[in-house]
Each structure stands twice: as structure tokens, then as C-alpha cells.
Amino acid sequence: MQVVPTDRKGPVSVTHQHLLTAIGTLLADGRVRPSQGRLRILDIGCGDGQLIDFLHDRLTRTFPDLAIELHGFDIGEQGYNDGGQFHTATQMLAARHPGIAWADRISMISDAEAWRYPSGYFDIALSNQVLEHVADLAAFLAELHRCLAPAGMSLHLFPLAQSIVEAHCQTPFAHWIRDFDRRVNWIALLSRMGVGAYRRHRKVLGHDTPRQHAVETAKYIQCWTHYRTFNAIADQCSRTSLAASSGLTKGLFIAKLRGMLKLRPLGRYRRSRLPGVDWLGFMIGRYLSSSTLVIAPVSYDIGRRIAAEKAANTLRRAA
């Protein structure tokens, strides 16, 4: 797979490029096999539609023989309940990629609703900075499992609990502190020292003082983030007949490095030939930035195993 240069204006998001390369990796490795010449992708938490725009632009030109079908949804309770930004996203996609009924492909739902798709509909589902906001992980994974094809896979880029810098206020360790007052004091202290997002939030959100910024940020972390470890997510996946893996995490750092060096983006990530390198990349990377998890349906035919063991025991006794 080769990444085709784009005519989109402005710099390409590193996270968007990383997810594109991750999709290319799943396709190149045969881990995702489009059926009947169509690749269906779901963007979970599609927001302003920029990731859908980017993927549609790149994938349709990279795979001209595939029908690329992108869908997305976002949660009304998490910022789009006024409908304004959501309507703007739909209009942008219609202007950029005419001839597609984006109003049917992009939807806004309630956090309490089931996802509006048939079972087994998608070959790939993905999310970008979403899983740390999911309160009911069991319900999320159940819907993910239902909507993925049996051989489908999902990609999720988000910070785990071990991430040193809290992604939304850019303050180290803020989400590690469970005591609310201590969290406020810590964010206020670092904000006065120029560490974190206080200057930007002062302009954007009207946080007049470091103390006000600290209180509002601490409330945001308390109410709208749910940081988890890989093991906690993997355990919940197991209860939902899903398997979680972390081997693509180092790809984000590769994408960042290639971007800094002005190198052409990769079409796919290759597994390291040295044992343990991919695991080591995850173990270190989870502290430094967002991690990338691949979550996919998994099944095992226990009946076949039992039958084989019984047959082997019968032959052993007969001998």
C-alpha cells in the first residue's frame, strides 16, 4: 500500500495519519478482508468529521477498486447536543465528497441509545481519543461486538491510566491524583508555573485565574474522563468475547518521528523481527502518549476440542 499525496489544505494530523497507516496494516496483513469489494468503516465519536474526511480522501485514492463506505456517530450529551457543529460537519463532508448521503451516514445519538447499525455491519471500527470518556465500558464493548463483522477489527487511540500527562489540561499527573482538593491545588500550582493548558483555556474558556482554571479542569477530569489500565480493558473485553492487543502503539511514535523528519508516511507498520520490541514499545509508550489498542471478536469451538479429546481417549483405550 502506498499513501497518495493529498490536496487537502493544512498539515495532516499525526493521529489521523497513524490511524490510516494502522488500517493499511490490518488490510496488508490480511487481518481484515473486505467482502464483495466493499470496506465499511465506523468512526466512533466522529466529532467535526475531519477524520472521516481524511480517511475517505486517502482510502478512495489508495484503493480505487474498493468501495469505501464511511459512517460515524457522536454522543449528544458530550458536546453536540446543540446540533450546530454536527450540522457543520455534515455540510463539510457533503461539500468535500459530493454524491454521498452524509446526513444518513452521520448520526448523533444519546449515550443511552444502542448504535443505529445492523449487527455485523462493519469491517473496521475506530475511535480517536474517545475511550477515556466512556463511562459504561461494558455497554460500549457489547455494541462494538454486535456491530463488527465476525472477522472485523477495531482500532482505538486514547490515553491509558498510566499516561503521565493528562491529555485535556496538559498537566502531568493530574488524573493520577484522586483527592479532588489536591488535584485542584496541583493544577493551580503548575498553571502559575506556565505548565499546562491554562493560557489557551483562559482565551477559549474564559478561565480568568489559575485557580478558576484548576477548579474547572478538575471538575472536567472528575466528570468526563474514565482512565483505565490495559489489563482492566482486556478483562472487560474477555467478558464480551473480544480480544485486546497493543502492538500498534509504537506506530504513533513512528508517525510522529517521520512527520518531524519530513519523511513520506508509511503505508503499513511492520512487526519487529526482534522478540519483545513491540511489547516494549507499548510498555514505554503508554506513559508518554496515547496507546493504540486493537479490539476484535474472538471465538473458540470448545465442542470440537472436546470431541477430539474424546476420540483420542477412545483410540488410546482401544490400543
Side-chain angles (χ1 to χ4, degrees):
M1 170 184 169
Q2 292 184 338
V3 176
V4 180
T6 180
D7 57 0
R8 299 169 80 252
K9 295 180 179 180
V12 173
S13 163
V14 173
T15 58
H16 290 185
Q17 179 59 55
H18 168 57
L19 288 170
L20 173 65
T21 305
I23 291 172
T25 303
L26 297 181
L27 291 169
D29 292 349
R31 299 171 71 183
V32 171
R33 300 179 185 275
S35 59
Q36 299 179 340
R38 182 177 299 276
L39 180 67
R40 288 196 178 107
I41 300 175
L42 173 64
D43 181 7
I44 303 167
C46 62
D48 59 9
Q50 293 297 320
L51 178 56
I52 290 178
D53 173 35
F54 174 75
L55 292 178
H56 191 279
D57 178 71
R58 294 300 180 90
L59 290 172
T60 53
R61 290 195 283 166
T62 304
F63 299 101
D65 296 331
L66 271 182
I68 305 297
E69 185 178 316
L70 280 150
H71 297 253
F73 74 88
D74 217 313
I75 303 299
E77 291 89 342
Q78 297 194 16
Y80 288 86
N81 49 352
D82 63 354
Q85 286 180 297
F86 195 79
H87 179 65
T88 300
T90 305
Q91 285 188 318
M92 178 273 293
L93 289 169
R96 288 272 301 151
H97 311 288
I100 298 173
W102 289 109
D104 296 331
R105 291 198 185 182
I106 309 297
S107 61
M108 180 170 60
I109 67 173
S110 168
D111 204 15
E113 286 184 76
W115 300 357
R116 301 173 182 177
Y117 309 103
S119 297
Y121 194 68
F122 293 102
D123 303 296
I124 296 175
L126 54 86
S127 68
N128 185 17
Q129 314 301 324
V130 169
L131 275 191
E132 79 272 22
H133 299 297
V134 173
D136 191 344
L137 183 61
F140 178 94
L141 292 175
E143 282 298 284
L144 178 66
H145 189 284
R146 182 185 66 79
C147 292
L148 279 175
M153 309 200 81
S154 64
L155 295 161
H156 306 274
L157 177 63
F158 66 104
L160 289 167
Q162 292 92 342
S163 179
I164 291 175
V165 177
E166 203 288 321
H168 306 92
C169 69
Q170 296 298 304
T171 302
F173 312 117
H175 55 307
W176 292 15
I177 302 171
R178 296 301 184 184
D179 183 295
F180 187 82
D181 289 339
R182 285 178 55 213
R183 177 185 290 163
V184 169
N185 292 337
W186 175 250
I187 297 172
L189 173 63
L190 266 64
S191 296
R192 294 187 185 97
M193 297 170 62
V195 177
Y198 168 57
R199 291 182 180 178
R200 182 170 66 87
H201 287 179
R202 184 176 182 178
K203 296 178 180 179
V204 175
L205 301 176
H207 295 175
D208 292 333
T209 66
R211 183 71 183 181
Q212 182 191 9
H213 168 71
V215 171
E216 293 300 318
T217 300
K219 289 193 292 185
Y220 176 87
I221 295 171
Q222 187 75 25
C223 297
W224 288 104
T225 65
H226 305 274
Y227 290 100
R228 300 175 176 94
T229 64
F230 173 81
N231 286 344
I233 294 170
D235 287 346
Q236 188 62 61
C237 284
S238 294
R239 291 190 282 271
T240 321
S241 297
L242 293 165
S245 59
S246 58
L248 288 175
T249 292
K250 68 180 177 62
L252 178 62
F253 298 96
I254 294 173
K256 287 182 177 180
L257 180 60
R258 294 185 71 86
M260 291 170 59
L261 297 175
K262 308 297 184 184
L263 298 176
R264 187 181 182 88
L266 293 175
R268 63 176 290 193
Y269 298 123
R270 299 184 183 275
R271 289 182 178 273
S272 173
R273 296 181 180 179
L274 297 176
V277 170
D278 292 325
W279 173 83
L280 183 61
F282 166 68
M283 294 298 289
I284 297 173
R286 61 182 176 164
Y287 289 98
L288 303 178
S289 185
S290 292
S291 298
T292 306
L293 301 192
V294 178
I295 299 176
V298 63
S299 61
Y300 186 81
D301 190 345
I302 189 65
R304 182 179 179 182
R305 172 170 178 159
I306 293 173
E309 289 176 345
K310 286 181 177 179
N313 290 334
T314 300
L315 289 173
R316 192 181 303 113
R317 286 193 296 268

